[in-house]
Amino acid sequence: MILAANLKTNLTREKTNKYMKGLERFLDESKSAQEVYVFPATSSLDKYTKNVVVGAQNAYPTLNGAFTGEIGLEQLEEFGIKTILIGHSERRHILGETQEILVKKFAFYKEQGFKIIYCVGEPLNIREAGHDVMMNYISAQYEGIDTEYENLIIAYEPVWAIGTGLTPTLEEIENIHKELKKKSPAPILYGGSVKVTNAKDVLALTSVDGVLVGSAALYLDHFCSMIDDAEAIEKIAGEK
Ligand code: PGA
């Protein structure tokens, strides 16, 4: 399964290094077969070439140039980064990224062969407007995106569940993932208040291929425990 930690605007470079060392040690010792990603703050990017795949939380669709405050492909290449998060709800709703901008980012980094974790998800008022409104809203987030791209991973993250401690029910997650799987053959992660206490249940759902974790992943032991959960679930499934 896929376990991705989005560290957002947290941890210094020093603390990120410590985190990565601890995570690598855990993966070496546990011999986990899970696919693990970490998205550190831009200032903490570095060359990490062991078990964990390091990705960028954001980058501008350019090699380099005059885009104050942004980084481009050249800055990612310095650290061998080939993975990027696109469309995270905080970029859409706090930083104001439109679907048009996200489509440009997607096309640019796809052209470069990047692994793309593309996030979709609805705000609370849209969810409350009913199932069809919600699915239309999410469908619009697929517009302009190559859903057949072989290096694509989708993350379904309801905006109202991110950082709030609220989550949809397991049944709701399963149903939405099933519908989203009709739109793309890409694996789908669930994200939004995944914690040590609910990770196992979420990971055990048949339509969930992994999790994208924010706040809980800041605790290395919590993130490692989720990796263990995924490992245990795969083992049981393999024995069946
Ligand atoms: P959360 O964030 O786990 O803190 O809800 C998830 C995310 O934003 O990817």
Side-chain angles (χ1 to χ4, degrees), residues 54-129:
V54 171
Q57 291 176 19
N58 175 49
Y60 203 73
T62 185
L63 174 62
N64 53 32
F67 304 99
T68 303
E70 296 287 318
I71 59 166
L73 181 63
E74 196 173 278
Q75 287 74 33
L76 296 176
E77 281 182 336
E78 182 178 15
F79 299 115
I81 309 271
K82 294 287 284 175
T83 303
I84 187 166
L85 264 186
I86 296 180
H88 189 277
S89 87
E90 284 146 20
R91 302 247 18 126
R92 290 180 193 266
H93 299 285
I94 302 177
L95 283 312
E97 287 191 359
T98 60
Q99 188 65 17
E100 197 188 341
I101 291 171
L102 299 176
V103 164
K104 280 193 187 135
K105 284 191 182 183
F106 191 101
F108 182 85
Y109 284 101
K110 178 196 148 188
E111 184 68 28
Q112 306 302 324
F114 269 54
K115 172 82 76 179
I116 298 175
I117 298 192
Y118 182 72
C119 308
V120 299
E122 80 292 350
L124 191 57
N125 63 321
I126 299 293
R127 167 163 284 240
E128 286 174 347

Side-chain angles (χ1 to χ4, degrees), residues 6 8 88 90 157 161-164 191-194 212-216:
N6 176 8
K8 308 192 180 182
H88 189 277
E90 284 146 20
E157 301 201 297
I162 297 178
T164 58
S193 294
V194 175
L212 175 55
V213 191
S215 7

Side-chain angles (χ1 to χ4, degrees), residues 4 10 47 58 62 66 81 85 120 130 138 140-141 148 154 157 165 174 192 198 200 235:
N10 296 297
K47 271 193 181 126
N58 175 49
T62 185
I81 309 271
L85 264 186
V120 299
I138 298 173
Q141 296 177 325
E148 301 287 321
I154 300 281
E157 301 201 297
E174 182 79 329
N198 62 10
K200 204 177 203 154
K235 215 167 255 169

Side-chain angles (χ1 to χ4, degrees), residues 6-208:
N6 176 8
L7 303 181
K8 308 192 180 182
T9 318
N10 296 297
L11 305 190
T12 57
R13 187 173 185 79
E14 195 184 329
K15 284 183 179 157
T16 305
N17 270 319
K18 213 169 140 204
Y19 183 97
M20 292 300 295
K21 276 193 189 126
L23 184 55
E24 289 290 3
R25 199 176 318 120
F26 167 79
L27 292 171
D28 279 342
E29 285 167 8
S30 65
K31 300 199 168 38
S32 172
Q34 305 307 306
E35 214 175 306
V36 179
Y37 293 83
V38 173
F39 294 87
T42 303
S43 58
S44 301
L45 289 178
D46 210 335
K47 271 193 181 126
Y48 296 102
T49 50
K50 287 186 73 191
N51 306 295
V52 181
V53 178
V54 171
Q57 291 176 19
N58 175 49
Y60 203 73
T62 185
L63 174 62
N64 53 32
F67 304 99
T68 303
E70 296 287 318
I71 59 166
L73 181 63
E74 196 173 278
Q75 287 74 33
L76 296 176
E77 281 182 336
E78 182 178 15
F79 299 115
I81 309 271
K82 294 287 284 175
T83 303
I84 187 166
L85 264 186
I86 296 180
H88 189 277
S89 87
E90 284 146 20
R91 302 247 18 126
R92 290 180 193 266
H93 299 285
I94 302 177
L95 283 312
E97 287 191 359
T98 60
Q99 188 65 17
E100 197 188 341
I101 291 171
L102 299 176
V103 164
K104 280 193 187 135
K105 284 191 182 183
F106 191 101
F108 182 85
Y109 284 101
K110 178 196 148 188
E111 184 68 28
Q112 306 302 324
F114 269 54
K115 172 82 76 179
I116 298 175
I117 298 192
Y118 182 72
C119 308
V120 299
E122 80 292 350
L124 191 57
N125 63 321
I126 299 293
R127 167 163 284 240
E128 286 174 347
H131 182 264
D132 290 352
V133 173
M134 180 176 89
M135 291 318 292
N136 285 343
Y137 183 94
I138 298 173
S139 292
Q141 296 177 325
Y142 279 76
E143 268 166 34
I145 299 303
D146 178 1
T147 53
E148 301 287 321
Y149 177 45
E150 72 267 21
N151 284 325
L152 171 64
I153 298 172
I154 300 281
Y156 169 62
E157 301 201 297
V159 181
W160 53 274
I162 297 178
T164 58
L166 303 170
T167 52
T169 63
L170 294 171
E171 198 186 347
E172 284 168 337
I173 296 174
E174 182 79 329
N175 288 340
I176 294 176
H177 277 225
K178 270 191 192 146
E179 287 198 51
L180 297 184
K181 276 190 179 279
K182 290 181 198 150
K183 294 182 182 294
S184 163
I188 308 191
L189 316 182
Y190 170 76
S193 294
V194 175
K195 309 279 175 211
V196 266
T197 45
N198 62 10
K200 204 177 203 154
D201 293 337
V202 173
L203 286 165
L205 295 170
T206 40
S207 60
V208 169

